[in-house]
Amino acid sequence: MGLLIVTAVAAEAEAVLKGLAPDSSIAVVPVGVGMAAAAAGTAKLLTLADGRYRGVISAGIGGGIGVPLGATVLAAHAIAGDLGADSAEGFIALDELGFGTTVYKADQKLLTSLREALPEAVVGDVLTMNTVTGTAARLAGLVERYPAAVAESMEGYGVACAAAQAQVAFAELRTISNTVGPRDRDAWRIKDALEALTKATQMLSTSLSS
């Protein structure tokens, strides 16, 4: 059984593919930007695979929370950071509303394999956001609600939902292109983050393919 790596966009998929051996048993597919596209695209791939994959990894670049640019992050949990309701008292997560869960735990066996292959990676919670953070005030609110968060993406939780439904292992890997907070496009390092994604894939290629 092989592994499936899904990314949001083609540039991320290309960066991952550069790091994989030509005979790798890992499939790499871009499924679209955002939680809904990631969930739908991953669910389709897992359904058509008919049990061929033992796990799925949401991979790509993302924003760092207290993590330097170019670093690699592994998710302990994928959390839907803005899925819930606003109120006069503050944000109410879906869990508190009683309508489901906003948290998926990474598969421990798969996460252990990733950590062994990437010993310098930062492990923590990765927030999946429908609207990425662009102000200091919003960042402060997220850090207060999710103190273990180390990165922000737009797809991980959606991929985790699909993996849970298909009963396959889930993990998330991000390389950091920007610092979460006030939006500053001039400070983004997308090229460097994509190169870091290729390097990370090279390091874990052998262990994941086995």
Side-chain angles (χ1 to χ4, degrees):
M1 297 174 69
L3 277 170
L4 172 65
I5 295 180
V6 295
T7 68
V9 297
E12 292 169 321
E14 290 165 5
V16 171
L17 286 167
K18 284 181 184 178
L20 294 179
D23 59 348
S24 173
S25 62
I26 301 172
V28 184
V29 184
V31 292
V33 175
M35 202 183 300
T42 304
K44 178 181 177 181
L45 291 169
L46 293 176
T47 299
L48 293 176
D50 194 26
R52 187 165 74 249
Y53 300 121
R54 70 178 188 273
V56 56
I57 299 172
S58 176
I61 65 176
I65 302 174
V67 177
L69 300 182
T72 298
V73 164
L74 299 173
H77 301 88
I79 301 174
D82 57 359
L83 184 58
D86 273 332
S87 77
E89 290 73 36
F91 179 76
I92 308 172
L94 193 72
D95 312 65
E96 299 173 72
L97 294 170
F99 296 141
T101 182
T102 57
V103 181
Y104 280 102
K105 186 176 182 179
D107 178 81
Q108 291 306 290
K109 183 176 180 181
L110 184 52
L111 178 58
T112 296
S113 295
L114 294 176
R115 293 182 71 172
E116 289 174 349
L118 301 167
E120 296 185 1
V122 177
V123 181
D125 294 342
V126 177
L127 306 180
T128 305
M129 308 294 290
N130 290 294
T131 302
V132 295
T133 302
T135 67
R138 191 177 193 218
L139 172 61
L142 290 175
V143 170
E144 183 179 358
R145 291 203 304 272
Y146 309 110
V150 294
E152 180 180 277
S153 76
M154 298 184 76
E155 293 80 31
Y157 176 85
V159 176
C161 285
Q165 290 292 321
Q167 296 184 317
V168 301
F170 161 80
E172 183 172 7
L173 183 157
R174 298 283 161 184
T175 51
I176 303 304
S177 60
N178 60 282
T179 299
V180 174
R183 188 172 175 82
D184 180 7
R185 286 295 300 268
D186 292 337
W188 292 6
R189 298 293 180 265
I190 293 177
K191 182 175 181 292
D192 293 343
L194 290 173
E195 290 175 352
L197 186 59
T198 296
K199 182 179 178 180
T201 307
Q202 288 172 334
M203 295 175 68
L204 57 80
S205 179
T206 301
S207 61
L208 289 182
S209 297
S210 62

